[in-house]
């Protein structure tokens, strides 16, 4: 598998597909809740004992069977009410409808620019009896019937740097900045900053409303001519029907906003960030060299790029980020993956519930992206032996 493909798969985990969910339960022990000017503040003293578990036995896994589809880049997905799923495969421009038993029930579309053709899938969402397919490259929204019949095609609001993340309860599309940007709160002199808004629009119209404007940064140090930061102090936003959640990787905190862009809740917890050590730096460099050599690069090229990477890592000031991928599920719960080596992600994900409670780590080994999560299942993209891609559906046990 090429380094570019691995990076593309790793970026999938930044997708945030969202359902409604408002805080309803009383906080457990170790969780303090207070109100500050209409904003609910949740302080977690410790991880809650009732951590969710993902069943190790998948309901289905598609992509590793020689008789089924061969996925290259399963870019987007959605769990269906019947227990099946929709998968958008980037390389083919095709949507696969997977039956509850894991068989391919239907395929829709192909690579192209005409009606019913796709170049990319930044979202596949359900709305009533219809299916929304957002194509970020063509900047186009396609509506399909539940059986895959083409209903309509419209231009997508927002720019190339925004992706559709959710459909709000009142039918608006919620758009968040894509992987090219990451959010922070204050300006650091070593970074080059820009701003990008969180947007909403009605599918049938061209009007775009700005819900919130958060400071966003490009990944360069010093100037755009400098090399990109190898360790990104990033942030992300993801939508769900009730609004959107946002977090930054250098703080143990998540913020929730309603569908009008008003801040409604902040959840915090006590956790020390992992230090950026000489041992981590060495592992980073070794992993880069191994990946470059396995991709067939010549020795001189690998040595030059390693030297450039060493200089880049020397610029990093501070600890490691808390996470490298951020996902918002249908209920507004956030999932963050423990920070790991690029192209070799950690297999542990942490959940902060919509109530603001911090849960323990969930093991998802081999998972490079969460595509969707319903109340009782999670749809993921996996890498297996020889870097073969697959999509799997796992049950979630919430402990009662």
């Amino acid at each position: 598998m090429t380094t570019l493909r691995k990076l593309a798969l790793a970026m999938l985990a930044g997708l945030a597909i969202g359902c409604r969910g408002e805080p309803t339960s009383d906080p457990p022990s170790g969780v303090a809740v207070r109100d500050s000017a209409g904003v609910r503040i949740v302080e977690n003293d410790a991880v809650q004992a009732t951590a969710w578990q993902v069943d190790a036995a998948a309901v289905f896994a598609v992509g590793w069977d020689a008789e089924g589809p061969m996925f290259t880049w399963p870019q987007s997905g959605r769990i269906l009410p019947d227990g099946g799923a929709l998968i958008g495969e980037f390389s083919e421009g095709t949507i696969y409808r997977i039956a509850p038993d894991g068989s391919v029930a239907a395929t829709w579309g192909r690579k192209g620019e005409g009606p019913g053709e796709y170049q990319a899938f930044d979202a596949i969402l359900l709305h009533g009896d219809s299916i929304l397919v957002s194509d970020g490259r063509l900047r186009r929204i396609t509506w399909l019937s539940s059986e895959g019949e083409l209903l309509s095609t419209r231009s997508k609001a927002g720019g190339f740097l925004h992706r559709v993340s959710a459909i709000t309860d009142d039918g608006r599309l919620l758009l968040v900045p894509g992987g090219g940007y990451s959010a922070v709160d204050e300006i650091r002199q070593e970074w080059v900053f820009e701003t990008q808004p969180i947007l909403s629009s009605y599918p049938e119209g061209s009007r775009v409303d700005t819900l919130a404007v958060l400071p966003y940064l490009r990944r360069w140090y010093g100037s755009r001519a400098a090399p990109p930061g190898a360790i990104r102090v990033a942030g992300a936003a993801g939508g769900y029907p009730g609004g959107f959640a946002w977090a930054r990787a250098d703080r143990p905190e998540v913020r929730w906003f309603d569908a009008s862009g008003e801040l409604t809740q902040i959840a915090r917890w006590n956790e020390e960030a992992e230090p950026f050590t000489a041992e981590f730096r060495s592992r980073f460099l070794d992993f880069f060299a191994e990946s470059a050599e396995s991709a067939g690069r010549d020795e001189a090229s690998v040595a030059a790029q390693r030297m450039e990477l060493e200089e880049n890592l020397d610029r990093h000031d501070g600890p490691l980020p808390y996470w490298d991928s951020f996902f918002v599920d249908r209920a507004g719960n956030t999932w963050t993956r423990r920070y790991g080596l690029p192209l070799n992600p950690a297999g542990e994900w942490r959940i902060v519930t919509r109530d603001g409670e911090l849960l323990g780590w969930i093991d998802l080994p081999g998972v490079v992206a969460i595509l969707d999560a319903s109340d009782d299942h999670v749809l993921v993209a996996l890498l297996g032996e020889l870097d073969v891609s697959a999509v799997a559906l796992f049950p979630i046990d919430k402990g009662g």
Side-chain angles (χ1 to χ4, degrees), residues 42-369:
V42 184
E43 303 280 356
N44 291 267
D45 289 337
V47 174
Q48 298 306 306
T50 55
W52 298 357
Q53 299 294 325
V54 173
D55 195 322
V59 176
F60 60 72
V62 182
W64 289 333
D65 188 338
E67 297 180 358
M70 297 295 292
F71 292 124
T72 300
W73 183 358
Q75 194 178 24
S76 190
R78 193 69 172 174
I79 300 170
L80 294 170
D82 67 1
L86 297 175
I87 306 297
E89 166 57 30
F90 169 79
S91 65
E92 301 172 357
T94 297
I95 300 171
Y96 285 85
R97 179 165 186 158
I98 308 300
D101 63 359
S103 63
V104 177
T107 58
W108 307 325
R110 62 183 180 181
K111 207 76 168 180
E113 299 181 6
E117 297 177 338
Y118 309 97
Q119 290 292 329
F121 302 99
D122 63 66
I124 298 176
L125 303 173
L126 304 181
H127 186 60
D129 294 330
S130 302
I131 300 167
L132 177 149
V133 182
S134 177
D135 188 325
R137 286 195 174 184
L138 295 179
R139 299 178 64 183
R140 190 167 72 184
I141 300 293
T142 298
W143 286 96
L144 305 174
S145 72
S146 59
E147 299 303 318
E149 177 188 0
L150 178 63
L151 300 178
S152 66
T153 302
R154 299 179 182 274
S155 297
K156 180 176 76 70
F160 284 105
L161 295 174
H162 280 83
R163 60 180 179 83
V164 176
S165 184
I167 302 175
T168 62
D169 287 328
D170 62 357
R172 288 175 294 147
L173 304 184
L174 194 149
L175 301 96
V176 303
Y181 285 92
S182 35
V184 295
D185 275 342
E186 77 276 350
I187 293 179
R188 300 181 180 180
Q189 294 301 315
E190 69 267 27
W191 290 97
V192 176
F193 278 72
E194 296 184 10
T195 60
Q196 282 291 302
I198 308 295
L199 307 175
S200 71
S201 70
Y202 284 101
E204 65 278 3
S206 59
R207 174 182 170 181
V208 178
D209 294 319
T210 300
L211 301 182
V213 176
L214 300 173
Y216 276 71
L217 58 84
R218 290 273 190 181
R219 59 175 77 180
W220 296 288
Y221 286 108
S223 73
R224 295 187 184 184
I231 298 177
R232 297 183 62 197
V233 181
Y240 66 105
F244 62 95
W246 171 80
R248 46 182 282 180
D250 61 343
R251 286 185 177 178
E253 177 183 287
V254 179
R255 298 187 177 204
W256 285 265
F257 299 77
D258 65 20
S260 68
E262 292 293 323
L263 178 65
T264 60
Q265 178 176 273
I266 302 173
R268 303 187 180 109
W269 60 95
N270 296 318
E271 182 180 5
E272 292 294 328
E274 294 289 333
F276 176 58
T277 63
E279 189 259 341
F280 183 89
R281 182 180 186 276
S282 177
R283 287 196 297 120
F284 196 119
L285 292 168
D286 290 344
F287 186 81
F288 163 78
E290 292 172 4
S291 299
E293 291 169 2
S294 66
R297 298 181 186 175
D298 62 88
E299 186 175 340
S301 173
V302 172
Q305 292 184 20
R306 180 181 176 117
M307 182 178 296
E308 181 179 325
L309 180 58
E310 288 178 339
E311 294 175 353
N312 189 305
L313 290 173
D314 288 340
R315 299 184 184 192
H316 184 73
D317 182 20
L320 295 176
Y322 289 98
W323 51 265
D324 58 20
S325 291
F326 179 80
F327 172 82
V328 182
D329 68 22
R330 300 187 188 188
N333 308 305
T334 67
W335 303 55
T336 53
R337 184 176 62 196
R338 186 195 292 272
Y339 186 83
L341 291 171
L343 310 184
N344 186 25
E348 296 175 303
W349 293 75
R350 168 167 283 167
I351 295 174
V352 182
T353 70
R354 181 61 185 87
D355 288 332
E357 296 170 16
L358 177 69
L359 304 184
W361 295 105
I362 288 180
D363 291 329
L364 294 174
V367 171
V368 294

Side-chain angles (χ1 to χ4, degrees), residues 54-64 71 74 79 83 85 87 98 102 364-365 367 369-372 377-383 389-395:
V54 173
D55 195 322
V59 176
F60 60 72
V62 182
W64 289 333
F71 292 124
I79 300 170
I87 306 297
I98 308 300
L364 294 174
V367 171
I370 296 176
L371 302 178
D372 190 20
H377 287 87
V378 58
L379 184 69
V380 302
L382 295 160
L383 281 182
S389 299
V391 174
L393 183 70
F394 291 98

